[in-house]
C-alpha cells in the first residue's frame, strides 16, 4: 500500500489513506464460534486477503489489527518507541466508543504491572519477577509437581474414567503454585474453589474475590515480617523495592499467567498425544518424546493464541498497512507461528523459535518453570495410566470460544486400571535456596530507581483477579 507522507496536505497526521481497510470498517471478527472452530483456517484466510497485518474487530464496532506475520510480530514486540504496552494510548475508549460493559475491559484496562508498562519502570518490575522466578530449584519443582499429580490421580477412584481438564490440568498448577508462593498446602484446593467462582461468575464470586485478595494481602504482610524460602519473600526482598501493593499485583499476574497458560499447555499436549499417530506411540515408548509434543503444541496450538496488545504511539506502516496513532495491535502468536516464511517443507519439529512466549522485552519470564511443570504433569500421568485413550471421537472435542486462549472445554478419557501401588510418598519437598537477604535500606541504583508511574502508588485491587482470570480464560 502506498502511504502519503503524514505531513503532506493529502494526509494530515493521524489520517489514514483512502481505502484503508480497518478504518473503513469491515475487519474480520475475532470473536464468536469461528475463532474456536477453525482458528488456523481463519488466520490463513486473513493472510491471503490482507497479508501479515490484517484488520479485525474485537467486538462489533471496535477495530484493531491482528499481526500474523512472523517478522512483523518481531518488529512489533521489539520496537517499544513505536508500539507501546500502555493501553491508555488506545483511541477507541478515548473517542467514547468502548461500552461501559465491554468484555474487552478486563484485558485492556491499564494496571501498574509489568504487563502494561514500558521503559525503565517495566524493566524494574520485570527484573523483580524474572529474578524471583529464576531462584526456583528445578529439581524440587519437579518433585513437587509429581507429588501433586499423583495425589490428583489417586483421587479418581477405580472406575476408569476421568476428564483430564477438570480433574487434572485445571487443578494441578495451583497445587504447585501454593507451595511456590509459601502458602500452606491446604490452601491449594481452597484457591481452586475460589477461582471456580470467579470464572463461572457464580453468586459467590464477589465474596470469593474479596477472600482471595485478602489471602494475598495477608501473605505479603506475613512475608514482609517473616521472610521465608518462597516466591513471595524473594519478590519482596528484591532490590527493585516493590511496595506491598505492587507485590500483590504481581503475585496475581504470576498466578493468572502461570495458571491459565499451564492449564492450556497441559491439556493441548495431552490431546496431541492421544490423537496424533506421530505421538501416540509415546504412550508405549516411541521415537517422539513428550518434550517434542510440548514444542509441537507451542507451534500449532499455543496456550495463548492471541495476546493484547500494543498501541501505536504515532502514525506508521507495518506489514504494508497504515497504522494510525492510537490504533491497537494484537499479537497473533498462533498465526505468526504458521507464517509460511518460517515453515519448512517438513514442518518445525524440534525447533523452539516459535513465538508462543512473545518476543522482545516483554517475553514471558516464566517459560522455563512452566515447561517443567507441564512436562512433569504429562509424564507422570502417562506413567501411571499407560493405556489412556479418548472416551469420545477426537472430532467431538470442543474448544472454548475465546479469541485469546486455545483451551479445551474437556478431555474425557478411559483407562483400564491404575499402575501398581507406588511407594509411600516422601514428605512434601521444601524450598532450600540460599538465604534470602533482608531488603536493603540503601538507595536503589539509577537502573531501578525510576519514578513510579503517576497514579500507580495505590492501585485499586477490586476485582483484579476476577478481571484477569476472565482475560486469560476468554470469558
Amino acid at each position: 500500500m502506498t502511504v502519503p507522507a503524514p505531513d503532506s496536505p493529502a494526509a494530515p497526521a493521524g489520517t489514514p489513506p483512502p481505502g484503508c481497510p480497518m478504518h473503513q470498517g469491515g475487519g474480520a471478527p475475532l470473536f464468536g464460534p469461528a475463532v474456536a472452530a477453525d482458528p488456523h483456517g481463519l488466520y490463513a484466510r486473513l493472510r491471503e486477503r490482507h497479508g501479515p497485518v490484517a484488520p479485525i474487530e474485537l467486538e462489533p464496532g471496535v477495530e484493531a489489527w491482528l499481526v500474523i506475520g512472523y517478522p512483523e510480530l518481531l518488529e512489533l514486540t521489539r520496537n517499544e518507541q513505536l508500539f507501546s504496552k500502555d493501553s491508555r494510548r488506545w483511541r477507541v475508549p478515548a473517542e467514547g466508543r468502548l461500552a461501559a460493559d465491554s468484555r474487552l475491559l478486563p484485558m485492556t484496562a491499564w494496571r501498574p504491572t509489568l504487563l502494561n508498562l514500558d521503559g525503565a519502570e517495566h524493566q524494574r518490575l520485570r527484573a523483580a519477577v524474572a529474578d524471583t522466578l529464576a531462584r526456583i530449584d528445578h529439581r524440587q519443582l519437579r518433585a513437587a509437581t509429581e507429588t501433586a499429580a499423583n495425589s490428583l490421580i489417586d483421587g479418581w477412584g477405580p472406575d476408569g474414567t476421568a476428564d483430564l481438564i477438570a480433574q487434572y490440568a485445571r487443578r494441578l498448577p495451583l497445587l504447585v503454585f501454593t507451595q511456590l508462593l509459601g502458602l500452606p498446602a491446604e490452601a491449594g484446593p481452597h484457591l481452586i474453589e475460589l477461582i471456580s467462582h470467579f470464572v463461572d461468575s457464580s453468586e459467590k464470586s464477589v465474596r470469593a474475590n474479596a477472600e482471595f485478595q485478602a489471602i494475598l494481602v495477608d501473605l505479603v504482610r506475613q512475608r514482609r515480617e517473616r521472610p521465608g524460602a518462597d516466591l513471595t519473600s524473594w519478590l519482596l526482598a528484591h532490590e527493585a523495592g516493590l511496595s506491598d501493593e505492587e507485590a500483590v499485583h504481581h503475585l496475581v499476574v504470576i498466578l493468572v499467567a502461570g495458571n491459565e497458560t499451564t492449564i492450556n499447555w497441559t491439556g493441548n499436549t495431552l490431546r496431541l498425544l492421544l490423537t496424533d499417530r506421530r505421538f501416540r506411540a509415546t504412550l508405549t515408548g516411541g521415537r517422539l518424546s513428550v518434550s517434542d509434543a510440548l514444542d509441537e503444541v507451542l507451534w500449532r496450538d499455543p496456550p495463548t493464541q492471541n495476546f493484547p496488545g500494543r498501541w501505536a504511539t504515532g502514525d506508521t506502516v507495518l506489514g504494508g498497512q497504515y497504522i494510525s496513532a492510537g490504533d491497537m495491535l494484537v499479537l497473533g502468536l498462533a498465526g505468526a507461528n504458521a507464517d509460511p516464511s518460517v515453515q519448512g517443507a517438513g514442518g518445525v519439529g524440534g525447533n523452539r523459535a516459535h513465538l508462543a512466549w512473545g518476543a522482545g522485552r516483554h517475553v514471558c519470564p516464566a517459560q522455563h518453570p512452566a515447561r517443567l511443570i507441564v512436562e512433569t504433569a504429562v509424564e507422570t500421568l502417562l506413567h501411571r495410566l499407560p493405556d489412556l485413550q479418548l472416551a469420545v471421537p477426537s472430532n467431538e472435542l470442543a474448544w472454548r470460544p475465546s479469541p485469546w486462549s486455545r483451551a479445551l472445554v474437556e478431555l474425557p478419557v478411559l483407562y483400564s486400571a491404575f499402575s501398581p501401588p507406588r511407594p509411600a510418598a516422601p514428605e512434601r519437598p521444601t524450598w532450600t535456596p540460599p538465604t534470602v537477604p533482608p531488603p536493603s535500606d540503601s538507595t536503589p541504583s539509577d537502573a531501578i530507581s525510576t519514578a513510579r508511574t503517576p497514579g500507580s502508588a495505590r492501585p485499586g485491587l477490586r476485582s483484579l483477579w476476577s478481571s484477569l482470570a476472565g482475560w486469560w480464560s476468554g470469558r
Side-chain angles (χ1 to χ4, degrees):
M1 176 183 293
T2 302
V3 181
D7 56 355
S8 70
T15 302
C20 180
M22 186 180 79
H23 298 94
Q24 286 190 338
L30 198 69
F31 56 87
V35 180
D38 184 21
H40 305 295
L42 172 63
Y43 305 143
R45 292 190 297 273
L46 288 174
R47 193 189 317 277
E48 182 178 3
R49 181 176 179 183
H50 299 287
V53 180
I56 58 170
E57 281 192 325
L58 295 173
E59 60 186 26
V62 178
E63 74 279 359
W65 298 100
L66 182 64
V67 181
I68 51 177
Y70 189 97
E72 288 76 16
L73 197 144
L74 289 178
E75 181 179 351
L76 176 72
T77 55
R78 292 173 177 174
N79 193 334
E80 199 173 80
Q81 286 68 41
L82 273 178
F83 305 109
S84 171
K85 283 286 289 181
D86 191 335
S87 62
R88 292 172 296 185
R89 297 178 179 272
W90 194 15
R91 60 187 181 85
V92 169
E95 295 169 359
R97 296 191 290 113
L98 193 66
D101 60 349
S102 170
R103 295 173 65 86
L104 297 174
L105 285 172
M107 67 189 105
T108 59
W110 184 86
R111 296 182 181 87
T113 72
L114 77 170
L115 294 176
N116 303 98
L117 294 167
D118 300 314
E121 185 68 355
H122 166 259
Q123 294 177 46
R124 178 181 77 89
L125 296 172
R126 178 184 170 82
V129 172
D131 292 348
T132 293
L133 293 172
R135 297 185 66 168
I136 296 173
D137 185 299
H138 284 194
R139 289 175 298 178
Q140 294 175 342
L141 178 58
R142 181 179 292 277
T145 304
E146 185 175 348
T147 298
N150 278 314
S151 69
L152 288 173
I153 297 169
D154 288 341
W156 292 350
D159 65 347
T161 66
D163 175 5
L164 297 185
I165 301 301
Q167 294 176 263
Y168 194 66
R170 187 157 289 283
R171 294 178 174 271
L172 180 60
L174 277 179
L175 296 179
V176 177
F177 291 153
T178 52
Q179 295 188 44
L180 291 174
L181 293 178
L183 288 163
E186 59 270 18
H190 184 51
L191 290 180
I192 293 171
E193 180 183 2
L194 293 176
I195 291 168
S196 69
H197 295 314
F198 301 152
V199 175
D200 295 338
S201 298
S202 74
E203 60 184 11
K204 300 179 180 179
S205 61
V206 175
R207 181 179 298 178
N209 180 63
E211 185 175 350
F212 183 84
Q213 291 179 21
I215 290 173
L216 291 185
V217 169
D218 187 60
L219 174 65
V220 167
R221 180 186 59 79
Q222 291 183 24
R223 288 299 179 263
R224 181 75 78 183
E225 297 174 354
R226 298 183 299 278
D230 52 67
L231 292 182
T232 305
S233 299
W234 302 337
L235 192 63
L236 292 169
H238 194 272
E239 61 181 352
L242 271 64
S243 68
D244 285 5
E245 287 180 312
E246 284 180 323
V248 171
H249 270 292
H250 286 85
L251 290 180
V252 172
V253 170
I254 291 171
L255 279 169
V256 174
N259 189 59
E260 287 296 328
T261 301
T262 305
I263 291 167
N264 299 344
W265 196 6
T266 301
N268 295 354
T269 301
L270 290 169
R271 169 188 168 273
L272 180 67
L273 291 170
L274 292 168
T275 61
D276 192 314
R277 290 185 178 181
R278 295 172 301 153
F279 292 94
R280 189 66 178 89
T282 299
L283 301 181
T284 55
R287 291 185 300 110
L288 295 174
S289 66
V290 168
S291 182
D292 294 323
L294 294 176
D295 291 328
E296 178 83 2
V297 166
L298 291 179
W299 274 102
R300 180 161 179 81
D301 286 312
T304 303
Q305 59 175 329
N306 300 302
F307 191 84
R310 297 293 193 276
W311 286 267
T313 61
D315 300 343
T316 188
V317 174
L318 180 67
Q321 301 284 19
Y322 184 92
I323 311 297
S324 294
D327 280 358
M328 179 179 177
L329 300 100
V330 175
L331 280 64
L333 304 175
N337 281 347
D339 189 334
S341 69
V342 297
Q343 293 281 341
V348 291
N351 188 328
R352 294 187 182 177
H354 55 76
L355 297 174
W357 304 113
R361 292 182 176 178
H362 283 269
V363 67
C364 176
Q367 54 186 287
H368 298 303
R371 185 182 188 94
L372 194 151
I373 291 172
V374 175
E375 186 171 48
T376 304
V378 173
E379 289 177 343
T380 302
L381 181 67
L382 299 184
H383 174 72
R384 292 290 307 278
L385 307 175
D387 64 344
L388 265 180
Q389 58 182 306
L390 280 178
V392 297
S394 60
N395 60 3
E396 292 184 9
L397 295 175
W399 299 92
R400 290 212 310 257
S402 168
W404 318 114
S405 297
R406 185 62 170 160
L408 289 164
V409 174
E410 58 183 8
L411 187 59
V413 293
L414 303 172
Y415 53 91
S416 62
F418 290 118
S419 60
R422 297 176 292 111
E427 293 184 5
R428 173 185 167 194
T430 56
W431 306 97
T432 55
T435 302
V436 181
S440 172
D441 293 328
S442 61
T443 302
S445 64
D446 291 342
I448 61 171
S449 59
T450 57
R452 300 191 191 281
T453 306
S456 67
R458 293 188 59 81
L461 293 176
R462 182 175 181 271
S463 299
L464 178 58
W465 170 268
S466 181
S467 296
L468 283 173
W471 164 8
W472 282 90
S473 62
R475 297 173 187 266

